[in-house]
Amino acid sequence: MKKLLLSILILGICSLAQASVITIDFNDLSAGDVVTDQYSSSGVEFALLNTPAGYPAGPTAGAISGDVYDGASGMALIPGDDLNDPFYDMEIRFAQTIDFFSFSAYDSDEAFSAIAYLGDAEVATLNFSSGSNLQRYDIIFGEIGGAQLFDRVVLDITEGQQGSVLGGPEFFDNLSFNQTSAVPEPSTLILFGIGTLGLAGFSRKKN
C-alpha cells in the first residue's frame, strides 16, 4: 500500500513538472490578423520592435503551405504587415519564466539572430546564417527542467536586410515553451493530494 501511495505521489510531482508545456500552431488565426495579445491566456504576447508610427504593433498572420515548407501548418506569423514590405524585429514576451523555447523559422534566405532575456539581461544568443528560400531553422533555447531561465525572446530579423531585400525569415510557426511556475491542472493537484494525504495517513497509522 505504501508503495502504491508513493507511486501516486511521484506521478503527481512529475505531472506538476510537465503540465506547463504549451504549443501554439496559430491555426486559429485568420489571414491578416495582427497578433499581439491573442494568446495572453496561454502566457505569451507578441510585438514588433521599432516600427514607424501607424504600423501594426505585432506580426501578421498569413497562410503557409506544408507542401512547400516541411513541417509547417496552415497559418504562421509574418514579421511585418505584408510580405512585400520590410520586416521588423519580433519580441515574444512570457508572463512567467520559461526554461524551454522552440520556434520554427521558414524561408530563411537572410541571416538573423534569436536572443533570450531574463528581464534586461541577455542570457543566450543563437545566430543563423543565410539559407535558401525554402530553408527551415528550428530556434531552440534551454530544456524542460533545465537551469537556464528566461522570460523574453527577441528575433533580430532585420540584421540580414540589404537594400530592398526583406531580410530574415518570412514565416514563424509552431511555438512551444515550458512555463516554470505555471498553475497546476486540477487532475495533477488531485494526484498530488491523494499521494500526500495517503502517505501522511499511513505514517500516522504506523506510529
Side-chain angles (χ1 to χ4, degrees):
M1 180 65 177
K2 185 176 181 181
K3 288 183 178 179
L4 175 61
L5 292 173
L6 184 60
S7 296
I8 292 175
L9 180 61
I10 292 173
L11 179 61
I13 292 172
C14 291
S15 297
L16 282 170
Q18 299 294 333
S20 56
V21 178
I22 295 171
T23 299
I24 302 173
D25 63 12
F26 306 106
N27 288 344
D28 57 329
L29 299 173
S30 298
D33 286 351
V34 175
V35 184
T36 53
D37 61 356
Q38 286 94 324
Y39 299 101
S40 58
S41 61
S42 296
V44 62
E45 296 185 353
F46 300 84
L48 293 181
L49 303 180
N50 303 315
T51 56
Y55 201 87
T60 304
I64 182 171
S65 173
D67 295 333
V68 177
Y69 302 105
D70 180 43
S73 58
M75 299 298 294
L77 300 187
I78 301 170
D81 186 29
D82 190 277
L83 286 175
N84 296 316
D85 290 340
F87 292 156
Y88 291 88
D89 295 343
M90 189 191 310
E91 182 181 52
I92 307 167
R93 300 186 297 262
F94 299 94
Q96 299 165 330
T97 56
I98 64 174
D99 55 20
F100 171 76
F101 171 93
S102 175
F103 210 12
S104 294
Y106 298 88
D107 205 340
S108 307
D109 53 347
E110 294 293 330
F112 73 102
S113 297
I115 309 163
Y117 293 88
L118 182 60
D120 293 328
E122 181 179 327
V123 297
T125 300
L126 294 173
N127 298 308
F128 297 88
S129 58
S130 300
S132 69
N133 286 335
L134 301 180
Q135 187 75 50
R136 166 185 170 176
Y137 289 120
D138 291 321
I139 307 165
I140 299 175
F141 284 117
E143 59 183 1
I144 296 174
Q148 184 182 78
L149 301 181
F150 45 102
D151 57 17
R152 182 167 59 104
V153 173
V154 173
L155 303 179
D156 187 354
I157 298 163
T158 58
E159 72 169 28
Q161 190 166 328
Q162 298 179 0
S164 61
V165 178
L166 293 175
E170 294 185 12
F171 299 98
F172 292 88
D173 198 14
N174 300 322
L175 172 67
S176 291
F177 58 95
N178 184 62
Q179 295 175 326
T180 59
S181 55
V183 177
E185 296 176 353
S187 60
T188 298
L189 288 175
I190 291 171
L191 278 174
F192 187 79
I194 290 173
T196 303
L197 290 175
L199 281 177
F202 183 90
S203 176
R204 186 167 59 183
K205 182 178 178 181
K206 185 177 179 180
N207 291 334

